[in-house]
């Protein structure tokens, strides 16, 4: 019984807008993907890591992650796919026969702590086959739908959407990675959702979504602020601040 971590790093980082992929952008002197790999290894519950690389960058990614003394477990690198979902599927294809649990984590969340990795894994090993970290939300969240083109407008003004619903905030969670899965369930979920992996507008934005689509239960453990996702320069600035905070 071993645990494989798939570390997604094949995205281009369009919204960050640098001239290199987001996973290779540095935070405090080290690439995001290395921060994430070090913390996965430091959890001591991950036996091996598969990193998904952007097109043409498998060797560069490998140089960054496999040569680092703090990444103490074996690391392999695989070419990612056109969507995050496709990249995870490519990583999953490299699972070894002995891997019975798979953790999927984003290099875009470089500061997710070893404690969080352990919390997710402990919940999986305790019998929950799909586990995600979740944070309470502070904003009121509304579901909206587009206003049909040509709908009557009383006066010219800014573009609007129509509010459909306001879910009770106490029941909402903002979900993070690492997410943990029984390996057979994750494989079944990816196989069933494979048609969606071709394009961003169809693909699942997280792996738990594919499990939910099977009708299988997904459970939430407490997330953490440091597992924030780096999307923009502002997120990088926040991460830099977190990194400098005394432990
Ligand atoms: N990812 C991946 N393969 C893809 C797309 C994304 O492995 N084809 C990974 C990213 O490297 C990242 C995670 O999935 O670690 C979450 O994706 P996101 O934050 O959207 O990163 P990017 O796709 O790189 O950023 P952007 O959408 O701004 O281009
Ligand atoms: Mg993306």
């Amino acid at each position: 019984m071993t645990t494989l971590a798939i570390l997604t790093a094949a995205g281009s980082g369009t919204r960050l807008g640098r001239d290199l992929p987001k996973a290779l952008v540095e935070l405090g002197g080290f690439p995001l993907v290395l921060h994430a790999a070090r913390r996965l290894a430091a959890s001591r519950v991950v036996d091996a890591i598969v990193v998904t690389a952007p097109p043409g960058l498998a060797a560069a990614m490998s140089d960054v992650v496999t040569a680092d003394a703090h990444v103490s477990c074996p690391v392999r690198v695989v070419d990612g796919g056109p969507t995050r979902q496709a990249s995870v599927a490519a990583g999953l294809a490299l699972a070894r026969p002995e891997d019975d649990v798979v953790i999927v984590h984003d290099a875009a969340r470089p500061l997710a702590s070893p404690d969080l990795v352990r919390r997710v894994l402990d919940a999986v090993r305790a019998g929950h086959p799909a586990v995600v970290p979740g944070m309470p939300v502070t904003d009121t969240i509304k579901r909206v739908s587009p206003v049909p083109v040509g709908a009557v407008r009383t006066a010219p003004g800014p573009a609007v959407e129509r509010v459909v619903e306001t879910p009770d905030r106490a029941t909402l969670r903002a979900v993070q990675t690492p997410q943990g899965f029984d390996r057979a369930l994750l494989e079944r979920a990816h196989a069933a959702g494979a048609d969606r992996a071709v394009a961003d507008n169809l693909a699942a934005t997280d792996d738990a979504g594919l499990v939910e689509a099977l009708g299988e239960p997904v459970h939430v453990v407490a997330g953490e602020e440091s597992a924030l996702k780096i999307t923009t320069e502002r997120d990088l600035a926040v991460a830099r601040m977190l990194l400098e905070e005394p432990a």
Side-chain angles (χ1 to χ4, degrees), residues 40-138:
L40 284 171
S43 74
R44 306 209 154 274
V45 292
V46 167
D47 297 285
I49 301 175
V50 171
V51 179
T52 70
L57 288 176
M61 199 61 81
S62 185
D63 286 347
V64 168
V65 183
T66 56
D68 188 77
H70 297 284
V71 182
S72 44
C73 58
V75 181
R76 285 166 297 162
V77 178
V78 65
D79 286 335
T83 61
R84 182 188 181 281
Q85 185 186 329
S87 293
V88 174
L92 196 50
L94 293 194
R96 306 155 308 170
E98 60 269 31
D99 295 322
D100 64 333
V101 170
V102 175
I103 284 182
V104 184
H105 185 36
D106 291 340
R109 297 185 189 271
L111 302 184
S113 71
D115 270 352
L116 183 60
V117 179
R118 280 194 292 270
R119 183 149 69 241
V120 168
L121 187 84
D122 285 352
V124 176
R125 295 262 178 229
H128 302 298
V131 175
V132 302
M135 295 285 280
V137 298
T138 51

Side-chain angles (χ1 to χ4, degrees), residues 24-35 38 68:
L24 295 176
V25 168
E26 291 196 354
L27 165 66
F30 301 104
L32 299 189
V33 66
L34 186 55
H35 280 286
R38 282 178 174 176
D68 188 77

